Amino acid sequence: MLGLAWPGSAFAQVQPADLVGTYNGSQMEVGTGLRLEADGRFEYFLSYGAMDEAARGTWEATDSGIALTSDPVNAPRFELVGIDAAAGGALDITLEVAEDIPLQLFEAGVRLTDGSGMPAMFDKDRVSFKIKRGGQPVEVMLAFPLYQIASDPVPVPAGTRAMHFRFVPNDLGTVAFDHQILRRDGDSFVLERFDRTLRFRKEQPGDEVEGDPQETEAK
């Protein structure tokens, strides 16, 4: 899915000319690049294993480096679509996902009245939590760990034995940077992302960044 791009946006301002250019942050197992335009616009991409993401928006110089702010993003979300009440000793969680996204990449968790948690990855078409005598599930959470997406806790009404959810991808893979600081470290800008330290170094004429951010789409 393409990120939003508003060329000539009133929110973009002219930025220092010495920072303008294309930056390469690729390292082992990670392909990533950043482009800073003179009119204050930026483009970013990252490919890490099975995960691809991108962003476009505005950038500005700060005392410590640069700050990135994405164009508006319609974030992915989890929706509760149904609840079933029935006798039994288990709570079943089902999740509808798009055909091109494997259900096995998602996780569900249940919190009980005693404060304990029961996490599990989806297998086949559902997650089934066995509820011990005297236990009562009070909240359910869903997550898409690959993209670090998690739902808010969803209350579980008393007597519930099945809950049905839907994952709405919206702008999945488009990053909603909100004044994200990339600190300057020597001749590089540093971004902490997915437990990796990315160092973006400015490309010299004739160099190329594999996966040009201008040609990259967030999937």
Side-chain angles (χ1 to χ4, degrees), residues 44 177 180-182 189-193 196-198 200:
Y44 156 90
F177 288 129
Q180 174 67 54
I181 299 296
L182 279 66
F189 291 115
V190 178
L191 172 65
E192 303 292 337
R193 192 87 180 143
R196 301 294 292 260
T197 298
L198 307 178
F200 293 93

Side-chain angles (χ1 to χ4, degrees), residues 42-129:
F42 80 86
E43 296 180 0
Y44 156 90
F45 82 93
L46 181 143
S47 181
Y48 183 19
M51 191 279 302
D52 294 321
E53 67 177 17
R56 295 177 178 176
T58 59
W59 70 277
E60 60 180 326
T62 70
D63 291 341
S64 59
I66 58 173
L68 307 181
T69 299
S70 297
D71 294 333
V73 174
N74 188 9
R77 68 179 186 276
F78 293 94
E79 294 180 342
L80 176 64
V81 295
I83 294 176
D84 294 334
L91 173 63
D92 290 340
I93 306 296
T94 58
L95 177 64
E96 301 174 26
V97 299
E99 292 183 358
D100 59 343
I101 305 177
L103 180 62
Q104 291 75 18
L105 295 177
F106 292 83
E107 180 179 316
V110 171
R111 187 174 68 84
L112 304 178
T113 49
D114 63 3
S116 62
M118 303 169 62
M121 301 298 292
F122 277 88
D123 183 23
K124 297 182 179 179
D125 63 344
R126 68 188 61 223
V127 172
S128 185
F129 294 97

Side-chain angles (χ1 to χ4, degrees), residues 144-161:
F144 191 0
L146 181 65
Y147 282 91
Q148 299 185 348
I149 298 170
S151 72
D152 292 329
V154 179
V156 180
T160 297
R161 287 298 173 260

Side-chain angles (χ1 to χ4, degrees), residues 89 113 130-136:
T113 49
K130 293 183 179 180
I131 308 301
K132 297 180 180 179
R133 182 181 297 275
Q136 174 62 40

